Amino acid sequence: MAIRKVGVIGAGVMGAGIAAQISNARIPVVLLDRAGENGGPNLAKQAIGKLLKSKPAAFMSRRNARLITPGVLEQELELLADADWIIEAVSEDLALKHAIYQKIATIRKRGAMVSSNTSTIPLRALVKGLPRSFQRNFLITHFFNPPRYMRLLEVVSSEKTSIRGLEEVLHFADHVLGKGVVRCKDTPGFIANRIGGFWLQCALLEALELGLTVEEADAVCGRPMGFPKTGVFGLMDLIGLDLMPHILGSLCSLLPQEDALHAISDIPPLLSGLIERGYTGRKGKGGFYRLNVSAKGRHKEVLDLQGGEYRRPEKPRLESLAAAKSGLRALLEHPDRGGQYASRVLLRTLVYTASLASEIADDIATIDQAMRLGYNWRYGPFELLDRLGANWLIERLESEGIAIPPALKKSAEVGGFYKKKGAGHQYLDANGQYQKSTRASGIYTLSDAKLGAKPVAVNAGAKLWDIGDGVLCLEFCSKMNSLDPDILGMLVQTVADLPRSHQALVIHNEGPNFSVGANLGLLLFASNIAAWSEVEGLVKAGQDTYSALKYAPFPVVGAPAGMALGGGCELLLHCDAIQAHSETYMGLVETGVGLVPAWGGCKELLGRMSRDPRRPRGPMPPVQGAFEPIAEARVSTSAAEAREGGFLRPHDRISMNPERLLADAKALALSLVPKYKPPELFVFQLPGPSGRAALELAINSFHRRRLATEHDVRVASKLAWVLSGGEQEGPCTEAQLLALERSAFVELARHPDTTARVEYMLENGKPLRN
């Protein structure tokens, strides 16, 4: 039974978000909830409207909303009759859930799976009293919010659950929805919320006890520990302050009295007061942080934990934060209140986790994965324990009179919770034995390829790895994967050397972003010393490198995830094919700093528009199609949107699961090898001066309405000049278009307004808005 249609009952934040993510996978989904009040639209239809307006966007393409069929639960239950998987996502009311299951049982087709999105209620309570046939097809699938962006899916099954049905759901969640699936034991809060709830509550209480400010607490319990940069208070705002008492109350009602959570479960008056006044976090009027809107504009404010009033944020000035640069131990050992805070929160959380590991999961690797995916920790709790060192930690705990969990003692005896063995990893099991770490079939990452291997080639900006079957993978290693002469040099070397020993190339890395574009620092340096020949040389080098890559005698596949901007986007446009992660954000953004794309980006996007059979024929439509996204520095909000914008072609592919991206890209590259031939040179038919004049009418209209500055007009006019073919109408070769790009880039780079914009971008990490 393949899953081809899904039903979701409950159109609240979670249910609607789950439905949106299913539609992002291009799977039809039915969303049911109550009828609307006073004859208004039903709640499911209202939820779809909210999803279309949500930020960050719930849909990868607005078109996906059409795949959701809204309905009224009491009147249109039959819409679920042909669903292969029905997900219940109503409030945490056991009686309500049981009533819904009784209704589902009357229309569910044979073999259809049913699951609950409960965050705390055990499976045994959910299935109590239900028919055995229903229990056989029932499980828990706990999504995290927002479902599009949070990859964790906690799954709880029982010995009664159909193995075949369970495997279908697991496969669908992994391959189709892109989830990191974690199998949990049937315990309250499962894994992530059990540990995460303890961690956040402990962080809140200790900050109040030690007199820290919100900024200090978030700075300590953030990047220095490998936790999200939001810190704990920012994360609570994101989750919703009103959910904290609910999660804690639900957990404490189910956990035995000896569980350590009970000792810290009291809700402080500060938090209760915020919730009562409607300060529930980002979804409300604010929380520990808020945006204050006044006549002077919008500015961020932070809550004073002692006085309860909002004030302007202040930069934390703790000596322990400086000490943290020397490592995590240095932070925990520092005597100031930041060090004390770090020690109390982290050690208590790690001890709690180590004490209940075998209770909540089959192995520690599962727990670490759950915290990485569900709470965005860089390291899981057992990985953190290894980074601190078991012996150091035991000595520290003994000095503070804290009981040592048996798992930690065993780790100290054998040398850690994890160890490398050959080209793989092993983890310590509950019996004190090392077991081989296993992955789901088809998951293969660049980190896997690197285990026990050495790069085929390496320089300061890039590395080349052998990923098997005659395929090489080029990895960027520069800051933010910005493109520089070292990376260009590695590309040139690869084009020359690869055919001697390999048959295909994949360009991919595991950074948060594929590439933010060319290194603007090099451009600014050359501009400041008026080294215009160097600027032109760098542009020519990029053009020559990308052209060599495009016409190489072997297939090249780009495998991006995250941002692929400017020169990074141009690189992908020169690949034979692209295997993009669904969360790929592509765009030619050079106009934002007063330039035009000049490493072939104008040429390649124009070529895509010219070849697109969906577009009107003639020389002008492709020019207009390429001009708008480049002039606006438009960036796609997903790979699906990149396809709609012409950056991805029909034969380019999208991977939903980032852990499958490299394997998918490799398979695509190998599929291109038989009978591979480089693309033929393309000759453009361009409108010349008349086309440029038409574009300039629109440009000048924007200027008259004060929607564009004089330099915006200058940049857009140069872009129009390039895309329309310069001064000549008719045929235009790729080489001629590259010469136009290069000329326009160097001319604009000489202008002081461009220099100012580049300086602003480097200082602030965002373009200057006029």
Side-chain angles (χ1 to χ4, degrees), residues 63 112 135-136 143 403 423 427 441 466-468 487 522 552 575 589 612-613 647 722 735 741:
R63 299 174 185 176
Q135 293 187 37
R136 177 173 171 76
F143 291 78
Y427 65 87
S441 176
D466 190 327
I467 57 174
I487 292 176
L522 298 176
C575 293
V589 297
D612 189 344
F647 289 95
V722 171
E741 287 184 10

Side-chain angles (χ1 to χ4, degrees), residues 147 337 556 621 766:
R337 65 179 185 274
V556 179
K766 57 184 179 181

Side-chain angles (χ1 to χ4, degrees), residues 150-161:
M150 297 302 293
R151 288 193 56 233
L152 178 60
L153 179 69
E154 293 181 317
V155 174
V156 182
S157 60
S158 73
E159 69 281 355
K160 298 177 183 177
T161 307

